[in-house]
Amino acid sequence: LEYGYLQLGRVSDARRVLEGCRQQAQREAADLAAKGKTPGDPDTRSIDSYAQMRAHFLINSELWQDEIVHWTLPAGEFPSARLTFDYTDALAAYKTSQSSRAREALSRMEADAKVAIARLDQRKVDQPSERGDIALLVDQLRALLSSPKPDAPQTISALQSVAAREHALPLEFGPPSIYKPTEELLGELYLQMGRPAEARKAFETDLARAPGRRLGVRGLTHGEQ
């Protein structure tokens, strides 16, 4: 519902839904702590949803300096949610030209990813797509921060490599599992570089996987002007 509101530009409604999930996540974390459950317990759905919804809100609204940027996770070890939080923080810092903060968040992501993979191993979860998503999130930010200049050839090349791996993911129902699709990111960089033909191609590929996505449609429109 939150993602649908964001695609319609109904930011206030999306914010309201996100706030409700945040409150539910806080209650869930308190309940887990009260019951003495270990961090490995899989019943943390609201906490993961909160992290994912925060990512979608900030990425799709592009309110990079909104108070939601400063929201935190409830106390506890939730590696998947922590990875999503740090991914979003890294992207927000990048978008607001805070390179040192972006790199700090990337370092946390790399540590988060190791813990998240170890937790999957511990629970004997054999889901290649989940492991693949973790690697792609980390590698996308590594690529984006590979050079101080966003239009550097190595940055574009690295993002293209990540995008190719993303294309191999199975199509899923619902919001993109890679919160900021790499082709969309590439399309925006191409527009900044004055390369509209490449931008159009990137946005068309983005929209083939996420039909009607607002940022993809906007980018394609700009690329055609």
Side-chain angles (χ1 to χ4, degrees), residues 73-148:
L73 272 177
E77 294 186 38
F78 310 108
S80 177
R82 178 63 60 192
L83 174 68
T84 300
F85 248 75
D86 287 331
Y87 170 85
T88 309
D89 289 348
L91 196 56
Y94 169 82
K95 290 289 187 177
T96 52
S97 301
Q98 300 179 73
S99 58
S100 61
R101 289 188 63 180
R103 294 182 187 284
E104 288 170 4
L106 173 59
S107 294
R108 295 196 302 271
M109 280 182 68
E110 293 170 337
D112 298 334
K114 292 178 181 178
V115 176
I117 293 296
R119 191 63 51 77
L120 291 175
D121 291 340
Q122 180 184 6
R123 291 167 48 202
K124 298 181 180 180
V125 175
D126 186 17
Q127 294 183 353
S129 61
E130 188 169 351
R131 295 169 186 267
D133 287 351
I134 290 171
L136 282 170
L137 289 172
V138 173
D139 289 345
Q140 185 194 81
L141 264 295
R142 282 175 177 162
L144 195 61
L145 299 173
S146 60
S147 170

Side-chain angles (χ1 to χ4, degrees), residues 13-208:
D13 288 325
R15 186 188 297 273
R16 173 176 50 79
V17 175
L18 172 57
E19 175 61 42
C21 187
R22 180 193 189 197
Q23 293 173 3
Q24 186 175 351
Q26 291 170 336
R27 290 193 297 270
E28 183 177 275
D31 184 58
L32 288 170
K35 293 179 178 178
K37 291 190 176 182
T38 67
D41 287 314
D43 190 19
T44 56
R45 290 184 294 272
S46 294
I47 295 166
D48 285 337
S49 292
Y50 162 48
Q52 293 164 13
M53 288 172 64
R54 174 179 177 265
H56 286 302
F57 182 91
L58 291 171
I59 289 167
N60 288 277
S61 71
E62 299 182 300
L63 297 175
W64 300 114
Q65 299 189 46
D66 192 271
E67 64 169 326
I68 291 173
V69 173
H70 304 293
W71 285 5
T72 59
L73 272 177
E77 294 186 38
F78 310 108
S80 177
R82 178 63 60 192
L83 174 68
T84 300
F85 248 75
D86 287 331
Y87 170 85
T88 309
D89 289 348
L91 196 56
Y94 169 82
K95 290 289 187 177
T96 52
S97 301
Q98 300 179 73
S99 58
S100 61
R101 289 188 63 180
R103 294 182 187 284
E104 288 170 4
L106 173 59
S107 294
R108 295 196 302 271
M109 280 182 68
E110 293 170 337
D112 298 334
K114 292 178 181 178
V115 176
I117 293 296
R119 191 63 51 77
L120 291 175
D121 291 340
Q122 180 184 6
R123 291 167 48 202
K124 298 181 180 180
V125 175
D126 186 17
Q127 294 183 353
S129 61
E130 188 169 351
R131 295 169 186 267
D133 287 351
I134 290 171
L136 282 170
L137 289 172
V138 173
D139 289 345
Q140 185 194 81
L141 264 295
R142 282 175 177 162
L144 195 61
L145 299 173
S146 60
S147 170
K149 296 182 178 181
D151 59 349
Q154 63 263 39
T155 300
I156 299 300
S157 177
L159 285 171
Q160 288 172 337
S161 177
V162 173
R165 289 161 53 201
E166 195 172 325
H167 296 166
L169 294 175
L171 289 173
E172 297 182 3
F173 177 80
S177 58
I178 305 302
Y179 308 108
K180 180 65 173 176
T182 308
E183 286 288 0
E184 187 174 277
L185 196 55
L186 275 167
E188 292 168 354
L189 287 175
Y190 286 138
L191 285 179
Q192 293 174 21
M193 297 162 65
R195 294 159 62 174
E198 290 165 289
R200 285 196 301 273
K201 183 178 179 181
F203 287 121
E204 286 170 353
T205 304
D206 174 38
L207 290 169

